[in-house]
Amino acid sequence: MFTGIIEELGQIERIDHTADAARLTIRGPLVVDGVGHGDSIAVQGVCLTVVEHTPDTFTADVMKQTLTMSTMSDARIGSPVNLERAALVGGRLGGHIVQGHIDGTSTVLAITPGEAWRVLRFNVCHRLAKLIVDKGSIAIDGVSLTVSNISPATEASQWFEVSLIPETLAATTLGGLVVGDRVNIETDILARHIERMLAISAAALPSQASPPEPQHATAPRSAS
């Protein structure tokens, strides 16, 4: 479990590809401090398991499903990555509950610079659009953010926006995004639970029963 507050900007040092997976070695001296075999570290918002580590690097396997669902398939040697260790029980929850289980990817549609802020607009598929609400939480490449604007529900092409402060732009990879870049997104786990509960409840409702056919009275027989 993570909070979406990035601890360190790391860098991919090595990528070993196999037929249906990849093994990444990532430099991150801060996040490997005290790390152990089997510990979890979020890389660009993707929860990965440490299989090897040195004082400055860690290595993790990325399975085929993760490569398909996330931007891990775009990883390149030298690429900067957002890193966060798993949250400590009893620590401060600075962002929101982030699992590191990516829902999919989005593409930067527009960037609007401001004096101190930068507004980024991302596209989003209809499957995920219903899980994103104005002023709700979302994780983009593992960064906990607040949704600042969303498209109308009736709009054919759905989108959402986030407003980034200078600290976020400087401390994460989001400051380097340009139009057309892909990012990993993870919607709020509470929204996903609610969606599932509503779907199960709707499926369990009995179908609308057809009204009973009217009973036609028969005339009494006359006595013979």
Side-chain angles (χ1 to χ4, degrees):
M1 194 68 67
F2 308 91
T3 66
I5 304 300
I6 302 306
E7 295 185 278
E8 183 177 18
L9 269 175
Q11 187 177 66
I12 298 176
E13 288 208 334
R14 179 172 174 172
I15 304 174
D16 296 309
H17 291 283
T18 62
D20 59 354
R23 175 167 283 203
L24 273 58
T25 299
I26 299 167
R27 176 169 294 275
L30 175 62
V31 297
V32 296
D33 182 28
V35 75
H37 182 86
D39 285 350
S40 296
I41 296 178
V43 180
Q44 292 295 91
V46 180
C47 179
L48 299 180
T49 301
V50 175
V51 294
E52 296 176 1
H53 62 90
T54 72
D56 295 317
T57 67
F58 69 94
T59 300
D61 291 315
V62 185
M63 60 184 179
K64 182 179 180 180
Q65 182 183 14
T66 304
L67 292 171
T68 302
M69 289 288 294
S70 73
T71 60
M72 288 289 102
S73 58
D74 301 333
R76 299 290 182 270
I77 293 175
S79 296
V81 287
N82 297 321
L83 301 177
E84 181 191 356
R85 290 170 290 188
L88 289 171
V89 176
R92 294 182 180 89
L93 184 62
H96 70 285
I97 297 173
V98 179
Q99 292 183 295
H101 301 161
I102 302 303
D103 290 309
T105 62
S106 290
T107 302
V108 181
L109 296 177
I111 299 176
T112 305
E115 186 175 342
W117 296 70
R118 190 179 301 173
V119 178
L120 274 64
R121 177 175 290 192
F122 298 88
N123 70 350
V124 64
C125 65
H126 284 266
R127 176 178 64 88
L128 299 180
K130 58 188 174 181
L131 302 176
I132 301 172
V133 298
D134 191 25
K135 304 303 182 291
S137 296
I138 193 166
I140 300 178
D141 280 347
V143 183
S144 174
L145 297 168
T146 300
V147 177
S148 57
N149 196 10
I150 56 174
S151 54
T154 55
E155 196 164 313
S157 299
Q158 291 289 295
W159 52 263
F160 70 93
E161 291 180 344
V162 293
S163 300
L164 307 181
I165 61 174
E167 172 64 20
T168 304
L169 294 170
T172 74
T173 58
L174 302 187
L177 292 177
V178 297
V179 173
D181 281 348
R182 286 202 313 152
V183 296
N184 298 316
I185 62 171
E186 179 184 334
T187 57
D188 190 351
I189 185 174
L190 297 179
R192 300 202 301 272
H193 275 298
I194 292 171
E195 181 197 32
R196 178 63 173 170
M197 287 189 294
L198 289 175
I200 291 294
S201 296
L205 291 175
S207 58
Q208 188 71 26
S210 56
E213 295 183 2
Q215 299 294 320
H216 299 287
T218 54
R221 293 183 178 181
S222 57
S224 55

